[in-house]
Coordinates of all heavy atoms in Angstrom, one line a residue:
G407 N 12.5 16.5 0.3 CA 11.7 16.6 -0.9 C 10.8 15.4 -1.2 O 10.3 15.2 -2.3
G408 N 10.7 14.5 -0.2 CA 9.9 13.3 -0.3 C 8.5 13.5 0.2 O 7.9 14.6 0.3
T409 N 7.9 12.3 0.5 CA 6.5 12.3 1.0 C 6.3 11.3 2.1 O 7.1 10.4 2.3 CB 5.6 11.9 -0.2 OG1 4.2 11.9 0.2 CG2 6.0 10.5 -0.8
L410 N 5.2 11.5 2.8 CA 4.8 10.7 4.0 C 4.5 9.3 3.6 O 4.7 8.3 4.3 CB 3.6 11.3 4.7 CG 3.7 12.6 5.4 CD1 2.4 13.1 5.9 CD2 4.7 12.5 6.6
S411 N 3.9 9.1 2.4 CA 3.4 7.8 2.0 C 3.6 7.6 0.5 O 3.2 8.4 -0.3 CB 2.0 7.6 2.4 OG 1.5 6.4 2.0
G412 N 4.1 6.4 0.1 CA 4.2 6.1 -1.3 C 3.1 5.1 -1.7 O 2.7 5.1 -2.8
E413 N 2.6 4.3 -0.7 CA 1.6 3.3 -1.1 C 0.7 2.9 0.1 O -0.4 2.3 -0.1 CB 2.2 2.1 -1.7 CG 3.2 1.4 -0.8 CD 4.0 0.3 -1.5 OE1 3.9 0.2 -2.8 OE2 4.8 -0.3 -0.9
H414 N 1.0 3.2 1.3 CA 0.2 2.8 2.5 C -1.0 3.7 2.8 O -1.9 3.3 3.5 CB 1.1 2.6 3.7 CG 2.0 1.5 3.7 ND1 3.0 1.3 4.6 CD2 2.3 0.6 2.7 CE1 3.7 0.2 4.3 NE2 3.3 -0.2 3.1
G415 N -0.9 4.9 2.3 CA -2.0 5.9 2.6 C -1.7 6.6 3.9 O -0.7 6.4 4.6
I416 N -2.6 7.6 4.2 CA -2.4 8.4 5.4 C -3.3 7.9 6.6 O -2.8 7.7 7.7 CB -2.9 9.9 5.1 CG1 -2.0 10.5 4.0 CG2 -2.7 10.7 6.4 CD1 -0.5 10.5 4.3
G417 N -4.5 7.6 6.3 CA -5.4 7.0 7.3 C -5.4 7.7 8.6 O -5.5 9.0 8.7
T418 N -5.3 7.0 9.7 CA -5.1 7.6 11.1 C -3.7 7.8 11.5 O -3.3 8.7 12.2 CB -5.8 6.7 12.1 OG1 -5.2 5.4 12.1 CG2 -7.3 6.6 11.9
M419 N -2.8 6.9 11.0 CA -1.4 6.8 11.4 C -0.6 8.0 11.1 O 0.2 8.5 11.9 CB -0.7 5.6 10.8 CG -1.3 4.2 11.3 SD -0.7 3.8 13.0 CE 1.0 3.5 12.6
K420 N -0.8 8.6 9.9 CA 0.1 9.7 9.5 C -0.5 11.0 9.4 O 0.1 12.0 9.1 CB 0.7 9.3 8.1 CG 1.5 8.0 8.1 CD 2.0 7.7 6.7 CE 2.7 6.4 6.7 NZ 3.2 6.0 5.4
K421 N -1.8 11.1 9.8 CA -2.5 12.4 9.6 C -1.9 13.5 10.5 O -2.0 14.7 10.1 CB -4.0 12.3 9.9 CG -4.4 11.8 11.2 CD -5.9 11.8 11.3 CE -6.4 11.4 12.7 NZ -7.8 11.6 12.9
P422 N -1.2 13.2 11.6 CA -0.6 14.4 12.4 C 0.5 15.1 11.6 O 0.8 16.2 11.9 CB 0.0 13.7 13.6 CG -0.8 12.4 13.8 CD -1.1 12.0 12.4
F423 N 1.0 14.4 10.5 CA 2.1 15.0 9.8 C 1.6 15.6 8.4 O 2.4 16.1 7.6 CB 3.2 14.0 9.5 CG 3.6 13.2 10.8 CD1 3.1 12.0 11.0 CD2 4.4 13.9 11.8 CE1 3.4 11.3 12.2 CE2 4.7 13.2 12.9 CZ 4.2 11.9 13.2
F424 N 0.4 15.4 8.1 CA -0.2 15.8 6.8 C 0.0 17.3 6.5 O 0.5 17.7 5.4 CB -1.7 15.5 6.8 CG -2.4 15.7 5.5 CD1 -2.2 14.8 4.5 CD2 -3.2 16.8 5.3 CE1 -2.9 15.0 3.3 CE2 -3.9 17.0 4.1 CZ -3.7 16.1 3.1
L425 N -0.2 18.1 7.5 CA -0.1 19.6 7.3 C 1.4 20.0 6.9 O 1.6 20.9 6.1 CB -0.5 20.3 8.6 CG -0.4 21.9 8.5 CD1 -1.3 22.4 7.4 CD2 -0.8 22.4 9.9
K426 N 2.3 19.3 7.5 CA 3.7 19.6 7.3 C 4.1 19.4 5.8 O 4.9 20.2 5.2 CB 4.7 18.8 8.2 CG 6.1 19.2 8.0 CD 7.0 18.5 9.0 CE 8.5 18.8 8.8 NZ 8.8 20.2 9.0
E427 N 3.5 18.4 5.2 CA 3.8 18.1 3.8 C 3.1 19.0 2.8 O 3.6 19.6 1.9 CB 3.5 16.7 3.5 CG 3.8 16.4 2.0 CD 3.8 14.9 1.6 OE1 4.0 14.1 2.5 OE2 3.6 14.6 0.4

Side-chain angles (χ1 to χ4, degrees):
T409 179
L410 295 172
S411 179
E413 58 189 6
H414 291 175
I416 301 300
T418 59
M419 292 284 289
K420 299 179 183 180
K421 61 178 183 166
F423 311 103
F424 184 76
L425 178 61
K426 183 174 179 64
E427 178 170 338

